Amino acid sequence: GILADDMGLGKTVQAVCAITQNHQKNKGSHSLIVCPTSLLYNWKEELHKFNPKLKAIVIDGIPGQRKKLLQKLSDYDVVITSYTLLQKDIEIYSQTPFSYAVLDEAQHIKNRGTRNAKSVKMIQAAHRLILTGTPIENSLEELWSLMDFLMPGLLSTYDRFLEKYIRVQGQQHAQNIEYLRKKVSPFILDRKSTRLNSSHG
């Protein structure tokens, strides 16, 4: 699913809860978190804060250091890396079956042709979660790329998607967009901070 709540509504905590529940059900499973470089250690801190039992590792550093860390993937419950480094190490990641894959700040894969988008789509994961702070309604192409990571094929091929939702006009366009909204809405949680009372953390 896509968690598109406003900033400050605890998307990170919800992701940690999802990983925790999954880990309890599937002992010995591994989760992968991909985020911008600036958030790598923030994620490790948040995981430790909300579930210190999860063994987490940040895959960072020069190629030699990363290679050593990547050889120990199976020793950890949660692996955290950045979009940039995922691209560089994708051969190893794509051969590792993960139980959960979380993309933070998923606007990094909004352009389907970028190396970021192509790399994350090579990840093998039973469950996929996207966190994004940018409204996805603004760009239908971006929505296609996100859904292509989550559930490849749900919105058909990119060309067919363009034809059905972007190239049509008038009444037909409005009907198609309404249909699209109904199709993807079960997978998107988009809460606004104004709807919640101020005491909510």
Side-chain angles (χ1 to χ4, degrees), residues 39-109:
L39 296 177
L40 282 172
Y41 292 92
N42 185 52
W43 264 101
K44 193 176 181 188
E45 282 169 26
E46 296 286 302
L47 280 159
H48 182 72
K49 187 161 104 184
F50 296 113
N51 186 353
K53 289 180 184 169
L54 286 173
K55 276 182 79 179
I57 183 173
V58 172
I59 307 286
D60 195 12
I62 58 171
Q65 290 171 320
R66 296 202 310 277
K67 197 173 179 185
K68 279 184 191 166
L69 296 172
L70 285 162
Q71 285 166 352
K72 301 178 192 166
L73 282 188
S74 55
D75 297 347
Y76 293 90
D77 303 317
V78 185
V79 177
I80 308 160
T81 194
S82 67
Y83 288 97
T84 312
L85 295 179
L86 179 84
Q87 282 178 30
K88 292 179 177 169
D89 303 324
I90 192 60
E91 274 186 35
I92 296 170
Y93 286 112
S94 62
Q95 290 164 21
T96 308
F98 291 98
S99 187
Y100 231 105
V102 178
L103 301 188
D104 189 17
E105 301 284 348
Q107 57 272 25
H108 284 263
I109 69 154

Side-chain angles (χ1 to χ4, degrees), residues 4-5 11 105-107 110 132-138 142 146:
D5 290 351
K11 289 193 287 285
E105 301 284 348
Q107 57 272 25
K110 65 183 176 183
T132 179
T134 58
I136 37 190
E137 303 84 32
N138 292 359
E142 181 178 337
L146 297 182

Side-chain angles (χ1 to χ4, degrees), residues 166-199:
I166 295 171
R167 294 195 182 122
V168 291
Q169 291 176 339
Q171 185 62 31
Q172 190 59 54
H173 182 256
Q175 282 174 5
N176 289 5
I177 293 297
E178 190 50 40
Y179 170 77
L180 176 64
R181 190 169 281 126
K182 283 179 181 160
K183 195 167 188 175
V184 299
S185 64
F187 308 106
I188 301 174
L189 194 55
D190 181 5
R191 291 171 293 195
K192 302 283 176 258
S193 52
T194 48
R195 290 186 203 152
L196 298 170
N197 63 40
S198 54
S199 63

Side-chain angles (χ1 to χ4, degrees), residues 109-119 121 144-145 158:
I109 69 154
K110 65 183 176 183
N111 297 329
R112 70 192 176 92
T114 59
R115 285 179 64 189
N116 275 347
K118 288 176 179 172
S119 301
K121 288 167 190 182
W144 185 88
S145 188
Y158 183 67

